[in-house]
Amino acid sequence: MNNISVSIISVPRVSMQACIELIEVDPDFHVVVMSTRLSGQVPRVALASTDVVIIDESVIEQEGFAALQRLLEGYPRVKCLVLMNDYNQDKMIWTLLQGVRGVMCADEAPRLVAKAIRQLHAGEVWMSRGLLGPFRHALQSRQDWIMPGPTAPV
């Protein structure tokens, strides 16, 4: 058994309940803390002992990317999985640029969330298939995000 410590930061909503229930009953996972906020309310000791933190995009929208940055800088060992509410390319790219290791749609099957947690814990990066196409398109259309500065000669 691989005991993966998981913290969940989410606004209370029905769509997250199945995911939370699956994580709570899976013998591979140990839920360290569940919170509704990125800043202030999440105990530091809990995050220090967390392997993977699942963050609902709604929480980031409420508190801003600065709160996400503080979490990632304060706990560099923790791998973050952000559950996106939609396919907004700007938010997806910005989230990944912050250092988040996994991004997936919030409405995906809970078993895929469990699979993503295992992959992140193993040191891999996770992106759900539904987000891969929009991500690739965003990178192709916004080369200035990848290669800032003067355009390379053709």
Side-chain angles (χ1 to χ4, degrees), residues 8 14-25 29 54 81 83 106 108-111 113-114 117:
I8 302 168
V14 175
S15 63
M16 282 295 293
Q17 193 57 40
C19 173
I20 292 168
E21 289 172 4
L22 178 86
I23 292 167
E24 288 178 327
V25 299
F29 304 137
I54 300 172
L81 173 65
L83 303 181
E108 293 205 43
R111 64 179 172 69
V113 175
I117 292 168

Side-chain angles (χ1 to χ4, degrees), residues 16-150:
M16 282 295 293
Q17 193 57 40
C19 173
I20 292 168
E21 289 172 4
L22 178 86
I23 292 167
E24 288 178 327
V25 299
D26 192 308
D28 286 349
F29 304 137
H30 165 69
V31 177
V32 178
V33 68
M34 292 191 353
S35 177
T36 59
R37 300 202 43 163
L38 273 171
S39 56
Q41 202 176 38
V42 181
R44 294 177 190 263
V45 174
L47 284 176
S49 63
T50 296
D51 297 314
V52 177
V53 61
I54 300 172
I55 304 172
D56 184 347
E57 177 194 13
S58 300
V59 175
I60 298 171
E61 289 174 351
Q62 290 175 358
E63 297 187 45
F65 276 102
L68 177 62
Q69 286 176 321
R70 284 191 299 275
L71 182 139
L72 292 168
E73 290 170 1
Y75 303 93
R77 183 185 82 72
V78 174
K79 297 161 183 91
C80 292
L81 173 65
V82 173
L83 303 181
M84 305 288 288
N85 297 323
D86 58 30
Y87 291 109
N88 183 304
Q89 294 175 355
D90 291 338
K91 286 192 286 186
M92 182 181 13
I93 290 174
W94 188 250
T95 300
L96 291 167
L97 289 174
Q98 299 308 304
V100 168
R101 301 290 305 267
V103 179
M104 64 186 301
C105 294
D107 60 354
E108 293 205 43
R111 64 179 172 69
L112 288 178
V113 175
K115 186 175 180 181
I117 292 168
R118 288 182 179 91
Q119 291 294 113
L120 291 174
H121 184 256
E124 301 293 327
V125 175
W126 180 272
M127 182 178 291
S128 58
R129 289 182 186 176
L131 292 175
L132 192 55
F135 179 69
R136 195 175 116 226
H137 174 73
L139 290 178
Q140 289 171 337
S141 65
R142 300 169 196 254
Q143 292 181 7
D144 59 318
W145 286 30
I146 305 168
M147 301 168 56

